[in-house]
Amino acid sequence: INLTNSGYTSGSPRFVLEGNAILFTTERYGMRAHASWGSQDDAMLVFLNRDAYDKYCLSKEDYELRKELEKEQKKEKKEKEASKAKGQKKDSKTTDDKEEKKEKVKDIVVELTNIEDRIIRLTPNSSNMGSAIISQDGETLYYLSSFEKGYDLWKMDLRKKETKLLHKMDAGWASMELDKEGKTLFLLGSKAMQKMDVSSDALKTITYQANVKMDLAAEREYMFDHVYKQQQKRFYNTNMHGVDWDAMTAAYRKFLPHINNNYDFAELLSEWLGELNVSHTGGRFRPKGQTEPTASLGLLFDWSYREQGMRIAEVMEKGPFDTANTKVKAGTVIEKIDGVEITPEMDYYTLLNNKAKKKTLVSLYNPQNGERWDEVVIPISNGAAGNLLYARWVKQRAADVDRWSGGRLGYVHIESMGDGSFRSIYSDILGKYNNREGIVVDTRFNGGGRLHEDIEILFSGKQYFTQVVRGREACDMPSRRWNKPSIMLTCEANYSNAHGTPWVYSHQKLGKLVGMPVPGTMTSVSWETLQDPSLVFGIPIVGYRLPDGRYLENLQLEPDIKVANSPETIVRGEDTQLKTAVEELLKEIDNKQ
């Protein structure tokens, strides 16, 4: 039975109020991500019968009166039963004392008529919610919610409609459970297990120590069997892509006795799962982090320089040296890092090990005027440096499009198929490039997500009127869609939804595709952490089927205009695919005029 009949996502159900209601969460009232996935949640109750609903709707005073009445009725019933029992002979008892003391199981009355009218929103505001639970007496809602860093524990008096922050925890996700008496609330998961006395709200950490001797070979065999069962039960295509899964499993099982480490075990999983000829699978081994991660100064160097030190070719925007008070520029030579001289034969990167976010002394030299000086900077992580390089790459492509088109076209790159990237391109195409004649949409090197519906809608606009204020054009309508021509770039490195999104764009005839074919990798995955948490494997659980019965998985997407970027042009800073897209879109616009 569909209890909510809602187009919004609902989940995390649990029986409460002695089985007379179901507590669940929903995104119905929450702020939604700009793209199609991600939203805030609320805690909700659906009452399974009218009596439970009527009790909940009573005011605090009326509820107290009803409790007193029920107490009196229960007392009268007990007295009548006791009086009746006295009049009976002892030898006529049909049950022993134990049976009499046994608590009777109460039937739950489920009334489906008008059940949708008995759905109540509990939380006063939507939020990034974790687990939620209601006290045994039905008077208090406890829930985890994240407003800043991690999840904090909140408490709501359901009768008074009063909410307060109970414990500031900044914790990770945890589930909540009550003991049988409803006196202790357990928070299981996150960084530590905790318990709270419901009467006092006192929260304590549960500490324990356990020593385990592991049979790692037996554990790997167990995990192997688990992967076998999960793929068999959850693989999106019931015929397992035509693979005899039992026979394939037997063929790979024979390698298990010869594996004594997780590197090799993850490789075994990948080879075995790869026989399914599908994306979004394989095994991964994630050992605990680097001991000496190397930091970055946010600089690009002249690799033809062979003298003492490192000569700077470019200072990256927003990097450690991109400040108002630095004298560093292209041509400056770094001679020392924290006093250690950089010689021509050494690898200078070792001097930046463990230096991320730490003050570092850099000794510099200007060959043009002979000046030497020191500057203190804070190096960034290689991940942060990668983000700066990405921003640089996008700016370069945008500048190329602007130059090649004479300012007629705009350029956006979709970094990933998620909310952040969608907000970025939405802002640019309807802001910075709103008055351009067309837009180049670049999806190259995108690793996926879920954005195909949003991109389809965003680039499907057809202008139907213009909003004008006192003779001044304010915007075209629809105002939340791009109403002009567009073209999309693809390459071999597009993956997952970066295959599905260009497919939808092309299928819906929104514009042409330029670039290289995209491998058919359009499935949705469940990445599962194994019993040994350093091991992860993937199960493609959702396939995308076309009306003719084919799936997008393994269905290669061919561009309308096939063009490759050769290594020779790339090293010269030329983007042949991008230039072709600009020329094709300008041709399309000119032909329409």
Side-chain angles (χ1 to χ4, degrees), residues 240-386:
M240 304 294 286
H241 276 188
V243 174
D244 185 334
W245 190 230
D246 288 333
M248 195 61 71
T249 300
Y252 277 86
R253 187 183 292 277
K254 64 186 179 186
F255 297 109
L256 268 177
H258 309 285
I259 290 177
N260 62 2
N261 63 84
N262 282 348
Y263 282 103
D264 290 342
F265 185 65
E267 188 65 23
L268 170 67
L269 293 180
S270 291
E271 292 288 337
W272 172 37
L273 295 170
E275 300 283 2
L276 293 167
N277 189 26
V278 71
S279 61
H280 295 87
T281 192
R284 297 177 184 175
F285 174 50
R286 301 183 298 192
K288 289 188 178 175
Q290 294 170 282
T291 53
E292 287 190 324
T294 303
S296 170
L297 293 172
L299 301 170
L300 300 178
F301 295 102
D302 180 357
W303 295 106
S304 64
Y305 183 73
R306 293 288 181 268
E307 298 175 37
Q308 203 82 355
M310 297 290 292
R311 186 163 67 191
I312 297 168
E314 182 181 334
V315 178
M316 285 196 283
E317 284 187 21
K318 298 184 180 179
F321 279 104
D322 185 23
T323 61
N325 57 3
T326 184
K327 291 189 283 184
V328 171
K329 58 184 179 180
T332 302
V333 175
I334 296 179
E335 294 189 312
K336 300 176 186 176
I337 294 176
D338 278 339
V340 179
E341 192 172 5
I342 300 172
T343 60
E345 67 276 2
M346 78 182 294
D347 177 5
Y348 100 96
Y349 285 102
T350 59
L351 302 179
L352 292 173
N353 284 357
N354 284 325
K355 294 288 172 68
K357 299 182 181 179
K358 296 177 183 176
K359 290 182 179 178
T360 301
L361 181 68
V362 181
S363 302
L364 301 142
Y365 167 62
N366 185 341
Q368 292 182 338
N369 59 18
E371 181 186 6
R372 283 185 165 85
W373 74 99
D374 292 336
E375 290 188 21
V376 175
V377 295
I378 300 176
I380 56 179
S381 69
N382 265 324

Side-chain angles (χ1 to χ4, degrees), residues 127-155:
S127 65
N128 298 319
M129 282 189 66
S131 184
I133 198 166
I134 289 179
S135 61
Q136 216 165 54
D137 60 8
E139 295 289 292
T140 308
L141 170 72
Y142 299 98
Y143 62 99
L144 293 167
S145 183
S146 174
F147 288 98
E148 294 166 344
K149 292 181 183 177
Y151 290 101
D152 301 315
L153 183 58
W154 291 74
K155 178 180 181 179

Side-chain angles (χ1 to χ4, degrees), residues 445-460:
F445 314 107
N446 185 309
R450 186 185 173 91
L451 211 59
H452 53 278
E453 290 179 90
D454 303 282
I455 296 300
E456 176 198 356
I457 293 167
L458 185 58
F459 291 100
S460 66

Side-chain angles (χ1 to χ4, degrees), residues 555-593:
L555 187 65
Q556 182 166 293
L557 176 64
E558 297 291 338
D560 297 291
I561 302 167
K562 188 174 179 179
V563 54
N565 273 347
S566 66
E568 294 80 10
T569 57
I570 290 172
V571 295
R572 292 198 301 267
E574 298 173 11
D575 193 333
T576 310
Q577 292 172 335
L578 184 61
K579 192 167 188 178
T580 304
V582 169
E583 292 168 350
E584 187 63 30
L585 187 55
L586 286 174
K587 193 189 307 178
E588 180 187 329
I589 292 170
D590 290 339
N591 288 339
K592 284 183 179 179
Q593 290 175 349

